[in-house]
Amino acid sequence: MPVEFLGIAATNDGSETQPRSGGPFDPDYTLRLAATHAENGWDRVLTAYSSGSPDPAQAAAWIADHVDGLQLLVAHRPNLSIPTFAAKTFATLDHMSGGRVTVHVITGGNDHEQRREGDTLTKDARYGRTREYMQILKQAWTRDEPWDFAGEHYAFEDFRADIKPLQQPRIRLSFGGSSDAAYATGGAEADIYALWGEPLTDTAGQIATVHAAARAAGRTTLPRIQVAFRPILGATEEAAWEKAYATVARIEERTEGGTKPLTNRHRLTDPENAGSQRLLAVAERGERFDRALWTVTAKATGGGGNSTALVGTPETVAAALLDYWDLGVDILSARGYDLLCDAAEFGREVIPIVREEVAKREAEGRPRGLAAVAA
């Protein structure tokens, strides 16, 4: 299966290393960044979600209307609306975009962030709600006759969505999480399971857990795996590492030595979500793993989201990404710190190397996945 690349469709130029230069939604910058991805070999971009951010569905519609060809991964939290309404929203957007939509369903790992929008469910209860939500979306997009649903969190009668997605049989669902409840939910329902960048052995363990959860739910088609990194590139190894340490210095300057959170969504110590806890635990084990994985960026941000780096020349970073592809990762997510310039550089320098090598390995029939790597 060909490799895919996912970037970020940020609506402003802010990052961990620099404050945004304008408001939360800069229409021109949003399109420039999306177009840069489209012009440099990326397959898809994520319109992200937080309690106070611009609406990712409308940002995706803005991009779809102005940038041709680029696929759209739209983040969505189940606490925002009932699933029957969301099913119609995303089916409509799929038609508007020419069938380019994937939905990334976010359960939410931070109680305080969830309560900002009135969501008071416990974390485990949120996963139960997410599972029902995903089940309802799938049925709303594929069932032609009116149908009923009676669950713990949602109940309705005689529903039928007149608008179905342009994609057939339906829009794909992406999902992420690193707790037992997350593995069970995503393993059962997700088309794509998203992970943050960890050492190869740890990632292999997570993939095995996701696949086991999918099989336990009776699935014969397993979720595709996505892993996310922060690439830091240099013309030489020395230049890349110099850039990496300068990047962390800028992060620490902005966090005032680790005392000031970068956003109101994530604290720098004692994160609630299992994914961030895992990243910090890896950072405690060491700074460097495998070919190029560097954990200092994750430690500097408190394990905030996609925060582990791949450091090196384009050739080194491409080789590291291929190690994950060999492991069974189909979708490689990457986001730099200078969003616009880094998207262009990664697209020019890294993506072609990875695509060429993946095509070569597929032509040779080289096995991949957990069993192949173990052998």
Side-chain angles (χ1 to χ4, degrees):
M1 180 176 292
V3 66
E4 295 181 17
F5 288 91
L6 169 69
I8 187 70
T11 59
N12 60 73
D13 61 357
S15 76
E16 295 92 334
T17 59
Q18 62 184 42
R20 69 190 188 209
S21 61
F25 182 64
D26 181 333
D28 292 337
Y29 181 84
T30 300
L31 294 184
R32 284 179 61 206
L33 182 58
T36 296
H37 283 85
E39 293 162 2
N40 286 279
W42 298 78
D43 298 285
R44 181 178 291 104
V45 289
L46 167 69
T47 54
Y49 187 88
S50 73
S51 60
S53 67
D55 176 33
Q58 295 191 60
W62 174 243
I63 293 168
D65 194 44
H66 292 81
V67 180
D68 293 333
L70 194 62
Q71 297 285 319
L72 302 161
L73 178 61
V74 185
H76 180 72
R77 284 186 187 168
N79 63 300
L80 293 176
S81 66
I82 59 174
T84 49
F85 178 79
K88 295 181 292 182
T89 297
F90 291 120
T92 304
L93 180 58
D94 199 48
H95 280 267
M96 291 170 59
S97 67
R100 289 187 275 158
V101 171
T102 301
V103 176
H104 182 62
V105 182
I106 302 174
T107 300
N110 183 313
D111 289 346
H112 187 197
E113 168 71 0
Q114 295 299 123
R115 287 195 293 268
R116 285 189 170 110
E117 294 186 297
D119 184 6
T120 59
L121 288 185
T122 64
K123 185 177 178 181
D124 283 348
R126 291 197 297 269
Y127 278 112
R129 177 179 62 190
T130 295
R131 188 163 185 170
E132 288 187 15
Y133 205 96
M134 296 170 82
Q135 291 169 347
I136 293 167
L137 289 178
K138 292 177 185 179
Q139 293 184 73
W141 290 331
T142 57
R143 296 185 67 160
D144 292 323
E145 299 300 321
W147 54 288
D148 304 338
F149 187 89
E152 181 180 356
H153 300 279
Y154 301 104
F156 51 82
E157 299 175 0
D158 201 39
F159 175 75
R160 178 186 177 275
D162 188 33
I163 185 165
K164 301 293 193 294
L166 183 62
Q167 298 175 72
Q168 292 299 310
R170 59 172 174 81
I171 294 169
R172 291 185 300 170
L173 294 176
S174 170
F175 173 91
S178 296
S179 66
D180 290 342
Y183 295 136
T185 298
E189 303 297 339
D191 301 298
I192 299 167
Y193 202 106
L195 303 169
W196 290 332
E198 297 185 12
L200 289 164
T201 54
D202 300 71
T203 301
Q206 285 194 289
I207 294 173
T209 300
V210 171
H211 287 177
R215 292 188 181 99
R219 294 181 62 173
T220 55
T221 301
L222 302 178
R224 300 180 70 199
I225 302 296
Q226 171 187 305
V227 178
F229 304 96
R230 306 300 293 271
I232 301 176
L233 304 177
T236 64
E237 295 295 327
E238 293 77 10
W241 284 105
E242 181 179 345
K243 183 178 177 181
Y245 284 108
T247 297
V248 169
R250 289 196 297 273
I251 294 173
E252 291 177 341
E253 181 180 356
R254 291 203 64 208
T255 63
E256 298 179 1
T259 62
K260 178 183 177 183
L262 289 167
T263 72
N264 65 2
R265 301 189 304 276
H266 186 86
R267 58 197 185 198
L268 293 174
T269 58
D270 300 320
E272 294 179 37
N273 61 306
S276 293
Q277 292 169 7
R278 287 180 63 99
L279 294 187
L280 292 180
V282 171
E284 286 300 313
R285 284 160 42 196
E287 293 187 0
R288 299 191 189 186
F289 294 85
D290 306 319
R291 293 182 194 266
L293 187 70
W294 196 48
T295 66
V296 177
T297 45
K299 187 174 183 179
T301 58
N306 170 20
S307 55
T308 46
L310 290 177
V311 182
T313 63
E315 293 77 12
T316 295
V317 170
L321 292 170
L322 286 161
D323 289 337
Y324 286 90
W325 189 84
D326 286 339
L327 202 61
V329 176
D330 296 311
I331 303 169
L332 299 169
S333 174
R335 171 166 54 99
Y337 292 94
D338 182 336
L339 300 179
L340 196 63
C341 292
D342 289 350
E345 181 183 35
F346 185 88
R348 289 193 314 266
E349 304 294 336
V350 177
I351 289 179
I353 298 175
V354 177
R355 288 200 193 281
E356 181 178 357
E357 184 58 32
V358 166
K360 183 188 302 182
R361 294 179 186 193
E362 289 190 319
E364 295 171 350
R366 187 182 305 187
R368 58 189 291 254
L370 300 179
V373 172

